[in-house]
Every structure is written in structure tokens, then in C-alpha cells.
Amino acid sequence: MTKRDEHQLLLSDTAVPDLFIADHMALLDEFALKVYLMLLQGKTRSDQKIERESLAARLGITVQKVDRSLNILEQEGLLRQTDGAIELVDLKHAEVSRFVKNREAFVKVTPGEVSKRERVVGIINDTYFQGTMSYRWYALIDGWFEKYMFEPDVVYTLFSELVERNKLNHVGYAASIAENWHKNGIKTFEQLSMHQDKFKENYAFCARVARSLRIKLDEYNEPLIRKWNEELGYDFTVVELALKQSVRMNNAKNLTIYDKMLREWHAAGLKDKASVEAHEAVRRASAGKKPAGPARDNRGNYRDQGDVDAYKNDISDGLRPLRVKREDD
């Protein structure tokens, strides 16, 4: 390293976007975070292509861990991988573009409604984020107001749900809750109150399934689990029968396996635990039946009619006939 390089490294800074700290940092594991910071530093100091092997060597990890971290960062929308090249996403430009695009679909609201929305957003920011709520949350809340027509109290209640479930840093999870409420026709706080008991009951159902499978409930698996209760009408006692099949499965945490099983039961008209158990008992009994083979005929082991008569007598007495040794044996 030359003297000039030493001075550059000593006096230079690497700018980390606040959007990254607020929206993405808490969702990354330690390796993905380290890789991202190294990429940021490399982009700041040089436009040269950064090799995976170089990243692995500098961080003291394997190339496989680097590849896994790059895939995580790509899923988070922090970079793009094209033909082996790594390109960091300009988070500020991406957020501004998304905001402008979303604003095109917004409808006009009255000044009074705007004031109510701004007030509740300020309360959410102060109460749950200590005044540091990220831009992504602002954009998401605007979408809930404009696209789903949520009242301010509904939006505030949604954040209360996130805090209760310890999901305040999961934007995707919040979006899945909002979408579910929208699909159930919720706009006002009164409608939400009527729906809330059922919603909490269904969440408890999903959480119990997740605990049984020892998986983390998130925005990806909860909608599927929720359908078993809301769409198929099954309570946990029925779902548990499907989960018990996991002892014979190699991929016991694959929810699509249980989804297929439950839908087959539903298509067969099975509605409760008793009907499912009866159905499965019949299925196992049918699978256990094997066609009987041809009866063994031992009459050739007897030399004359007397021996044949003895054979018949043995059969009628339930005894296994003894083989009579032939003279030519």
C-alpha cells in the first residue's frame, strides 16, 4: 500500500444510506451485513468490479457464504446480480421513483381528512419509532390510506398489532395484515372491531401450527396457514392430524405437503376430526390388505389312494400333512 493509499483510507468516509439503516439493516444476518458494507466501501473508493473471492478473503468466510449473502441482499432489493457482476441499488432513487409512481394513483382527499391522517402518522412515529420512522413506512401508510381507504384509527391499530407480535421491523408482515383486512372489507374502526375477535383467534391458530412445526411465523407462511382455518374451515384438531404425519416425512416443514393433504380431506367432504380419523382408518385398512396367493397342493407327496385319503383327513383336522418319502427319492 502506498503512502497515498494510506492517506485515502485514513481520511475517507463510506456513506451508509439512512434508508438502509431504517428499513433493511435489522433484517440481515451478520454475513449479509458485512458483505453489504464491504460493497459500499468498494463503490465509494473505486468503480472496479469486486470479485466474490476477494470478498470472501477480506471477510474471512467461504465463497459459499458470500454467494448466500449476495442472494439475501438481492432479495431485499439492495443489489442486482447480472452475469456475475454485482451492482448496488441506489436506495434513494428507488424510493423516490416508487413514491412518484404510487402518487399517480392517489385520489384527492379533503384538507380535514389530510389533517387527521397527518396527526395519526405523527403519533405512530413518536409512539413506536421515537421520531425516526423511515420513509418506507410513510409510503406504505400513504398506500393504506389511498388504496385501501383505511381510517386513521385502523392504521394506528395495525401498528399496535405489529408491536404485540414483535414484528415492528417487518414491513412485509405489516403489508400482509393490511391486505388481509382489506380483503375482509375493513375500512372503518367499527368494521375492524367486529373482525378483530375472529382475526385474533385465527392468528392464535396460525401461531399454534407454527409452534408445532417449530417454524417462525412470517408474511410468507401465515397466509397459507390461515386458509386452512378460514377457507377450509378446519380447527387445530384436524390440522394436527396432518401435522402428525411429519414423523414419516423427510421435509416435515414443507407446508405445501400439509396443504395438499388438508385439501384432499376437504374435497372428500371431511369436516371434523372424527370423520378424518374414520377416513384414514379405512384407507390404512385398504392399504394393508394383500391378495391371497394360490393354495399349496401337497397331494403329489402321497403315493397311493390311501395316502391321498390320509392327506384329506389331515386337512380336515387342520393339521399340516407330513410328506411321505417315495421309494425312488
Side-chain angles (χ1 to χ4, degrees):
M1 179 182 293
T2 65
K3 201 73 173 176
R4 182 170 178 271
D5 290 335
E6 289 180 1
H7 288 164
Q8 283 185 339
L9 184 60
L10 178 64
L11 302 176
S12 64
D13 296 305
T14 299
V16 180
D18 286 342
L19 285 171
F20 168 77
I21 297 174
D23 294 341
H24 302 281
M25 185 178 68
L27 303 177
L28 302 178
D29 62 22
E30 59 172 311
F31 298 113
L33 180 58
K34 290 177 180 178
V35 168
Y36 184 73
L37 293 178
M38 293 297 294
L39 291 172
L40 273 182
Q41 185 190 54
K43 181 181 179 181
T44 301
R45 299 189 62 206
S46 172
D47 290 331
Q48 294 181 356
K49 179 180 177 181
I50 301 178
E51 300 291 342
R52 288 166 167 77
E53 292 76 9
S54 175
L55 282 172
R58 294 181 66 183
L59 293 173
I61 60 178
T62 63
V63 176
Q64 288 74 18
K65 285 187 178 179
V66 170
D67 286 334
R68 177 181 173 276
S69 298
L70 291 173
N71 291 335
I72 292 174
L73 294 171
E74 187 171 29
Q75 291 173 2
E76 277 294 309
L78 295 170
L79 58 78
R80 287 184 288 268
Q81 300 183 79
T82 308
D83 298 329
I86 304 169
E87 178 187 1
L88 288 177
V89 171
D90 187 334
L91 296 181
K92 298 176 184 177
H93 181 270
E95 288 297 331
V96 170
S97 298
R98 179 162 49 189
F99 176 77
V100 172
K101 182 178 180 181
N102 289 341
R103 292 301 299 177
E104 294 175 355
F106 286 176
V107 298
K108 294 185 179 296
V109 294
T110 63
E113 184 64 23
V114 171
S115 178
K116 291 179 182 178
R117 293 178 178 182
E118 289 179 347
R119 184 165 57 251
V120 78
V121 170
I123 294 173
I124 291 171
N125 183 28
D126 293 337
T127 304
Y128 299 120
F129 297 94
Q130 293 74 50
T132 61
M133 187 168 70
S134 70
Y135 172 78
R136 176 176 288 192
W137 281 114
Y138 283 103
L140 196 62
I141 292 172
D142 279 344
W144 296 340
F145 282 139
E146 302 294 342
K147 295 179 182 179
Y148 296 164
M149 301 299 293
F150 285 167
E151 287 186 350
D153 288 343
V154 173
V155 174
Y156 184 84
T157 304
L158 195 152
F159 278 90
S160 300
E161 290 286 341
L162 293 176
V163 172
E164 184 178 332
R165 303 181 189 189
N166 197 27
K167 299 286 187 180
L168 191 58
N169 63 333
H170 289 263
V171 176
Y173 193 84
S176 69
I177 293 179
E179 183 180 3
N180 177 262
W181 289 1
H182 173 65
K183 287 181 178 179
N184 282 275
I186 294 172
K187 294 181 180 179
T188 68
F189 185 75
E190 289 73 18
Q191 292 171 333
L192 177 61
S193 298
M194 295 174 60
H195 176 76
Q196 199 73 337
D197 290 340
K198 181 180 178 182
F199 183 79
K200 288 182 178 294
E201 180 181 339
N202 191 264
Y203 176 75
F205 166 84
C206 295
R208 189 174 180 184
V209 172
R211 286 196 303 271
S212 298
L213 292 175
R214 297 182 181 179
I215 61 175
K216 184 178 180 181
L217 195 63
D218 55 32
E219 64 268 30
Y220 305 109
N221 55 37
E222 183 179 342
L224 179 60
I225 298 174
R226 187 188 300 126
K227 289 181 180 179
W228 300 344
N229 181 255
E230 292 182 345
E231 183 180 319
L232 303 183
Y234 287 145
D235 59 16
F236 184 77
T237 60
V238 175
V239 174
E240 188 178 26
L241 296 177
L243 301 184
K244 287 180 178 179
Q245 306 296 325
S246 63
V247 296
R248 297 194 295 271
M249 297 178 183
N250 294 326
N251 193 6
K253 296 183 179 181
N254 187 346
L255 294 180
T256 56
I257 298 175
Y258 306 111
D259 185 67
K260 180 181 178 182
M261 189 182 306
L262 291 168
R263 290 187 181 279
E264 288 177 351
W265 291 348
H266 186 263
L270 310 178
K271 297 181 179 181
D272 53 26
K273 179 180 179 180
S275 61
V276 171
E277 288 179 331
H279 173 82
E280 288 298 297
V282 172
R283 184 186 62 80
R284 287 192 297 269
S286 299
K289 289 182 179 180
K290 296 182 179 179
R296 183 178 176 183
D297 191 349
N298 289 326
R299 283 176 293 182
N301 295 332
Y302 295 83
R303 290 183 300 176
D304 51 29
Q305 184 61 39
D307 291 333
V308 172
D309 292 339
Y311 167 81
K312 292 180 179 179
N313 292 333
D314 288 341
I315 292 298
S316 63
D317 292 338
L319 301 176
R320 182 179 178 182
L322 298 176
R323 185 177 186 275
V324 179
K325 184 176 178 64
R326 296 177 179 273
E327 293 179 355
D328 54 353
D329 282 353

